[in-house]
């Protein structure tokens, strides 16, 4: 297992939701109710509705030191969801792996001549996928929690051109996102976006994504980029709804925390995809 250097930290985990956002600059806070996410011009609520609107308000602000425990919890829970997704959903995107597992099952029958043993083979293969997914993702998580997620202020709040935000609903931190500026190509990377599973479906992920785009415009970056290993199509639809376009990827990506052993490669494969949103021409 290896961890990245201070400037090369573990990749972005993104959880997708589907609503719109509003605008703001880095030092501004954003306040938006989920009922307002569907339109850019919503009439002010009347006094009878005002209390209900307040209960439904999502407040986007910069990270504070007191947020650290909740931020790590949301990040941890979001990453842990990747274990079953990668082990079971991921294989649906990997035709070569499916063919290999079918071949191994047939070989089991040829060698053993046992129908019962052959019927057990797919379950053994899936159990092995789950084991290696758990192993790799736990290593990845440990890497992230020792690097940027261990000291958010040092990685994101102090450097010029970077920032970290939290989404607050009813006084509780329910979502996170980071922006990390890259001077070499004048881009900013969208990182670490995750939403508490109990509060998804309220458009929080899209509001957080828009916050990074507004930050990039405000700071005169040429583009926003991100890299993702997300299995769920909802994540990719979120990026496209924000204006991102796919620019490439890898079918055999080495996630931080992978050892690269033959067994690991047999039972853990992950697709990495890159996205870019061009803001202006250089």
């Amino acid at each position: 297992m290896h961890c990245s250097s201070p400037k090369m930290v573990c990749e972005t985990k993104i959880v997708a939701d589907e609503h719109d956002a509003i605008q703001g600059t880095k030092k501004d806070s954003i306040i938006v109710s989920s009922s307002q996410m569907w339109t850019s011009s919503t009439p002010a609520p009347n006094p009878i509705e005002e209390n209900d609107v307040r209960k439904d308000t999502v407040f986007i602000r910069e990270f504070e030191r007191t947020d650290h425990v909740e931020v790590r919890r949301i990040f941890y829970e979001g990453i842990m969801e990747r274990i079953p997704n990668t082990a079971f959903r991921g294989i649906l995107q990997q035709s070569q792996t499916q063919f290999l597992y079918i071949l191994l099952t047939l070989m089991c029958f040829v060698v053993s001549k046992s129908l019962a043993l052959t019927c057990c083979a797919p379950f053994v293969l899936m159990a092995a996928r789950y084991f290696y997914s758990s192993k790799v993702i736990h290593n990845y998580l440990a890497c992230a929690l020792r690097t940027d997620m261990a000291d958010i202020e040092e990685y994101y709040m102090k450097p010029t051109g970077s920032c970290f935000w939290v989404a607050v609903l009813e006084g509780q931190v329910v979502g996170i996102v980071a922006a990390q500026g890259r001077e070499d190509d004048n881009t900013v990377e969208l990182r670490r976006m995750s939403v508490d599973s109990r509060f998804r479906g309220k458009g929080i992920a899209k509001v957080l994504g828009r916050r990074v785009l507004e930050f990039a415009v405000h700071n005169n970056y040429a583009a926003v980029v991100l890299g993702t290993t997300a299995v769920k199509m909802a994540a990719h639809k979120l990026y496209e709804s924000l204006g991102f376009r796919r620019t490439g990827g890898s079918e055999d990506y080495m996630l931080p925390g992978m050892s690269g052993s033959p067994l690991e490669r047999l039972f853990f494969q992950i697709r990495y995809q890159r996205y870019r949103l061009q803001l202006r021409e250089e």
Side-chain angles (χ1 to χ4, degrees), residues 63-81:
F63 169 84
E64 297 173 359
R65 189 170 298 178
T66 54
D67 301 324
H68 192 68
V69 172
E70 281 298 291
V71 166
R72 284 171 65 97
R73 178 189 65 79
I74 292 170
F75 176 73
Y76 176 88
E77 291 177 358
I79 292 292
M80 291 299 290
E81 291 177 1

Side-chain angles (χ1 to χ4, degrees), residues 60-165:
I60 307 296
R61 61 167 172 79
E62 290 185 24
F63 169 84
E64 297 173 359
R65 189 170 298 178
T66 54
D67 301 324
H68 192 68
V69 172
E70 281 298 291
V71 166
R72 284 171 65 97
R73 178 189 65 79
I74 292 170
F75 176 73
Y76 176 88
E77 291 177 358
I79 292 292
M80 291 299 290
E81 291 177 1
R82 301 301 297 278
I83 295 174
N85 285 341
T86 304
F88 305 130
R89 288 193 182 195
I91 196 173
L92 299 177
Q93 303 172 355
Q94 298 158 1
S95 57
Q96 290 184 345
T97 301
Q98 292 175 35
F99 177 78
L100 178 59
Y101 289 178
I102 291 170
L103 184 62
L104 289 172
T105 302
L106 293 174
M107 287 177 62
C108 177
F109 178 75
V110 170
V111 171
S112 68
K113 305 298 184 183
S114 169
L115 185 60
L117 188 60
T118 303
C119 290
C120 291
F123 295 99
V124 173
L125 292 171
M126 290 299 101
R129 281 185 66 86
Y130 188 88
F131 171 80
Y132 278 97
S133 292
S134 178
K135 178 177 178 288
V136 169
I137 288 171
H138 272 97
N139 288 342
Y140 165 79
L141 183 61
C143 177
L145 293 177
R146 286 198 303 267
T147 53
D148 62 312
M149 295 304 290
D151 193 346
I152 291 170
E153 289 185 322
E154 185 66 28
Y155 274 84
Y156 296 111
M157 303 308 294
K158 290 182 180 179
T160 302
S162 297
C163 196
F164 196 104
W165 298 271

